[in-house]
Amino acid sequence: MEQILNWRKGLFDSHYQVFDHATPKFSINFNSLKNSAFATTQKEIYLLRSQGYSNPETQILNNQNEIIATIRYDWLNFKAKVQFPSGEVFDWGFQNSWLSRWSLNNHTDKQIIYNSSSGSGLIHSNIDDDLLVLTGLFIREYYTRILLAFLIITILLFSGRNIF
């Protein structure tokens, strides 16, 4: 079943909203200083909690505080793996150099493709799984925040060098 969803977020905030034919489907609210978020779907509430720096991972917890998936990041290649307790594994990665297209798939029968354009975009999915869709958006925001922090640190280092 092919479905096309719309998503949007504010310019300077990290609050994502996903719509199915103009009807709200779910939202993701990020913590402003941490790479953690709350996701609210029509059926469930999820907590996505990130930890670690040298070997980073995010645990996805349901409202009973059970781990239902784990995301492991490959910072050097801008990729991630999502693993479920059932053993099913999904690969996440950017599809272009502008970082405006990315996908999440299991290389057999499930695939979600995301497109972005200045704070909004489309999601093409061949499955109806809110958790997978929001996971793909979460990972994208995770990498966006890392790139922004790197850019700020670089600017501060070069501007501080010119002061002395």
Side-chain angles (χ1 to χ4, degrees), residues 44-61:
E44 218 35 83
I45 296 173
Y46 301 103
L47 170 64
L48 294 95
R49 184 175 53 202
S50 299
Q51 54 199 12
Y53 293 103
S54 62
N55 206 7
E57 75 175 28
T58 300
Q59 295 177 335
I60 303 174
L61 303 135

Side-chain angles (χ1 to χ4, degrees), residues 7 92-95 100-103 112-114 116 136-137 140:
W7 67 270
W92 183 97
F94 285 110
Q95 302 295 313
S100 64
R101 183 178 167 101
W102 62 99
S103 67
I112 304 170
I113 299 172
Y114 304 81
S116 70
L137 290 171
R140 187 253 191 182

Side-chain angles (χ1 to χ4, degrees), residues 120-161:
S120 65
L122 292 174
I123 302 168
H124 299 269
S125 175
N126 68 351
I127 56 171
D128 186 18
D129 189 336
D130 291 345
L131 178 61
L132 282 174
V133 172
L134 70 89
T135 300
L137 290 171
F138 177 87
I139 297 169
R140 187 253 191 182
E141 181 67 19
Y142 182 90
Y143 277 119
T144 300
R145 288 172 171 226
I146 288 173
L147 286 171
L148 185 62
F150 178 74
L151 182 65
I152 289 171
I153 289 170
T154 303
I155 290 170
L156 289 175
L157 287 174
F158 281 110
S159 65
R161 184 173 160 222

Side-chain angles (χ1 to χ4, degrees), residues 5-89:
L5 304 171
N6 295 306
W7 67 270
R8 70 173 183 222
K9 74 177 211 92
L11 184 60
F12 294 110
D13 70 358
S14 296
H15 175 74
Y16 285 77
Q17 295 176 316
V18 176
F19 300 91
D20 184 10
H21 302 311
T23 304
K25 191 162 175 75
F26 62 83
S27 65
I28 309 170
N29 296 306
F30 281 80
N31 186 327
S32 58
L33 298 176
K34 296 180 181 179
N35 278 327
S36 297
F38 284 101
T40 307
T41 68
Q42 295 172 347
K43 300 174 187 172
E44 218 35 83
I45 296 173
Y46 301 103
L47 170 64
L48 294 95
R49 184 175 53 202
S50 299
Q51 54 199 12
Y53 293 103
S54 62
N55 206 7
E57 75 175 28
T58 300
Q59 295 177 335
I60 303 174
L61 303 135
N62 62 11
N63 55 3
Q64 286 86 30
N65 212 24
E66 301 167 333
I67 298 173
I68 55 174
T70 303
I71 305 168
R72 290 190 175 80
Y73 303 94
D74 179 2
W75 282 3
L76 296 177
N77 295 315
F78 286 98
K79 295 184 184 252
K81 287 200 180 288
V82 181
Q83 185 162 9
F84 290 89
S86 65
E88 190 170 27
V89 177

